[in-house]
Amino acid sequence: MKHVLTLNYPASWWRSLWREALPSGNGRIGASVYGGVHEETVLLNHEALWQGARTPELPDVSDRLPEVRRLLAAGKAREADRILPSALKERGYAPKIASPLPLGDLKVFMPSDKGFRDYERTLDMETGEVAVRWTDGDTRYERVLFVSRPDDAIVYEIRRQGPRPIAARLALQLHDKRDVRRVDYAFPEAEETKAEGSFLYYAARSDDGTDFGAVARIVGRGGRMTADGGAMVAGEADSVLVVVKLFVKGSRGEDWGRLAAELGSLAPDYGSLLAAHAAEHGRLFLAAAFDLEAEGRERSNEELLLEAYRGQAPDALIEKLWAYGRYLLVSSTRPLGQPCHLYGLWCGDYEPVWAFHMVNENLQMIYWQALSGSMPHLMLAVFEYLEKQMDDYRTNARRLYGCRGIFIPAPTAPDSGLLKHTSPHIVHWTGGAGWVAQLYYDYYLHTLDADFLRERAMPFMREAALFYEDFFTMGDDGYFVSSPSNSPENTPGNYWTGPRDSMSTAINATMDFAIAKELLSHLVEGAQVTGRYVEDVPKWREMLSRIPPYQTNADGSIREWMHPLFDDNDRHRHQSHAYPVFPGTEVTRHRDPELFAAFAKAIEKRLVIGLKEQTGWSLAHLANQYARMGRGDAALECLDLLSRSCVMNNFMTLHNDWRGMGIGVDMDRVPVQLDANMGWTAAVQEMLLFSVPGELHLLPALPSRWKKGKAGPLLARGAIECSLEWDLRAGTLDVLLRSAGGTRRTELVLPPGATGVEGYPDIGEARSVTVELGEQLRRLRVMMGRYND
């Protein structure tokens, strides 16, 4: 039951039932099971189906940049805030960003004779199988579904145990227009459905003139199957198997025949299809584990959440949400496909809120878990996506700021990388390319793939650095000036008038320089490894010398803006100024304890002063920050807060609470944002292992509640695999290590409370030991101070 989610209720949130459905996916197509007994809906999605984009030519407004900088320097930030957005509007720029479009619904209607009882719906994360079970009279019914990875199909079966046979009506259709937030949307047209032989056919037309749709093959065992208009009716059946394939950007005349032929070639046997899928899915999902030996794993999601509402997330909930974040990522992305966006493969809204790829926080959080969670291959989808849009990013840089290199807007969609959102906080945030460049270099550090570093990471990072080379100006003190600047998406304290106020255009956001410093340092290191762009190394070193040192406030905390015209504002969800501690690794307690303490103080203020301004994802980010600071109990408290504010009964996370409970921002829309699910998983892994090249920090932020557990193999920088098993009551930590990158010496930094390592007589004041690692497994036992109940 550790990896099984059990729910006592079907989806029940009127006009947004899809938000409470149970998800399954193969990285390309997704299915969401609502769980209704009489009327069942299975929402169908495809990664490549997006709609609603409007992409005019981006006008050149770079001639207005000097005016923006002049106004900012003169202390007229509010006037500067609107210059570039207004110039775009004046020149007729009215873009619209695309949104994922629900492909359709598989509808199943079954009669209810005596009324349901013993209802449950479950998700087995090890296989991706969703089940709905209930009893009606003296017959037990079960509907099961998974999305096959090897066969790229949705496989669904209705079964019964008892005397009453199955009667069901099945149909494919456009996604239910009642199950959406907006009802004034221009819905897809030219919907067509038909039933022929053992097949159901469905198609509709996208706004680009192409068709999308599905074909279902229906095989009954026993009884009879008859067509009824565009539906299929099963009567007196022992079981009904439904196998569905999807198509997008095609033609119904061609794709219906092609998919029917593919379905006809599959063996109509649920068990054999599941076995083939489960082997591939399980290999990915079970590549790492986390186990607290939790009690109550058999309890339902609702029961676990009710306990969390009383103050602390039970260990079983912590385990399951760690696994769920992993499951969602494995199920919603694959190496050559689309990256996972904020709704994954399970968006049921027409024109949903914030359903794009957002690189000022959210996309990064979705993928933080992938590297340490031994899933580096999933990162490749991000790199494919970014590299396809490089020409658009170059156009943004040139026409907005007159710069070479690339400018990646915070939000993008698969159809275009051009700036589509013209709000000032988007136009003026220049850190997107630099931040995602971190993912490139971190992929190299975790895999030591030198070919990737040479051929993909170095060219991308160089383009990001070219932008900074042209964008930064020189101040009178000899240091760079970043103007306009934005600390996502915060308003400086001296301009802030309340939660609804937004004026985020400033000078010298700390994050700007933290990202640039990291990027240039990685380029210098990468040039030494690959021999590529070595002629640029002196220039990059000179640029590094021009980045101003971090500044502190009077209370000793790091300033969010390194300019006297802009005051800190801790009533905000983003924690951008702490970038050098997390997600960066520039500043660590081990290397620079004084500067580390200044960053730590800045983060502490965020939660103390601004709890009401937090969101689901920001609580997950804070958990990661506290873990990096070595404060496991504080990190776990953030997850406790998240579990009782922004987690639904299907365990999907939301941007904000919808019940007025006082944790997080107030908003009416309450969009799904799966980044907090992924951030939960990443935070747990941060508590258990931190690494920089040459250093491995074991259990750096173990919460005091986690007395016993095991995890791994986790992947560390330097391509080191690490498994951990601890028992504080016995006073032991067993470590299993292997270097996938050849023999190397590594410093193991021991957990707080460690007293020694078997075979190493002296751990020294640094409380660390240096070990030699190779491709053979190395076992070590760390002696811990005993915990007494």
Side-chain angles (χ1 to χ4, degrees), residues 1 4-8 120-122 298-302:
M1 299 298 291
V4 175
L5 306 186
T6 302
L7 292 89
N8 292 323
E120 70 171 12
R121 55 183 175 135
T122 62
E298 74 287 348
R299 289 188 292 171
S300 70
N301 286 19
E302 293 93 347

Side-chain angles (χ1 to χ4, degrees), residues 35-76:
V37 167
H38 166 63
E39 179 182 349
E40 175 65 289
T41 300
V42 179
L43 170 66
L44 310 175
N45 288 86
H46 192 290
E47 65 171 2
L49 185 58
W50 294 62
Q51 185 168 284
R54 187 168 57 243
T55 311
E57 183 178 359
L58 179 66
D60 191 331
V61 296
S62 61
D63 60 315
R64 305 297 298 275
L65 180 58
E67 183 181 1
V68 176
R69 288 173 167 167
R70 177 182 60 78
L71 289 168
L72 283 168
K76 299 179 179 180

Side-chain angles (χ1 to χ4, degrees), residues 444-448 691-694 715-720 739-742 744:
Y444 160 70
L445 289 179
H446 281 81
T447 64
L448 298 186
S691 64
V692 292
L715 186 61
R717 294 175 178 91
I720 294 173
S739 171
R744 60 188 59 250

Side-chain angles (χ1 to χ4, degrees), residues 625-647:
Q625 290 277 15
Y626 278 121
R628 191 64 63 87
M629 290 158 49
R631 296 187 54 189
D633 286 342
L636 189 53
E637 181 185 2
C638 291
L639 299 185
D640 287 338
L641 289 167
L642 173 57
S643 70
R644 61 182 190 265
S645 61
C646 295
V647 179

Side-chain angles (χ1 to χ4, degrees), residues 457-487:
M458 289 295 289
F460 185 91
M461 293 192 297
R462 182 173 177 268
E463 292 262 11
L466 279 173
F467 178 85
Y468 287 127
E469 187 177 340
D470 292 352
F471 178 76
F472 287 155
T473 58
M474 195 69 71
D476 294 338
D477 58 1
Y479 288 118
F480 283 142
V481 175
S482 179
S483 175
S485 183
N486 176 278
S487 189

Side-chain angles (χ1 to χ4, degrees), residues 252-266:
R252 65 191 74 186
E254 298 176 2
D255 288 297
W256 278 353
R258 175 179 61 83
L259 294 184
E262 291 179 10
L263 289 168
S265 69
L266 295 178

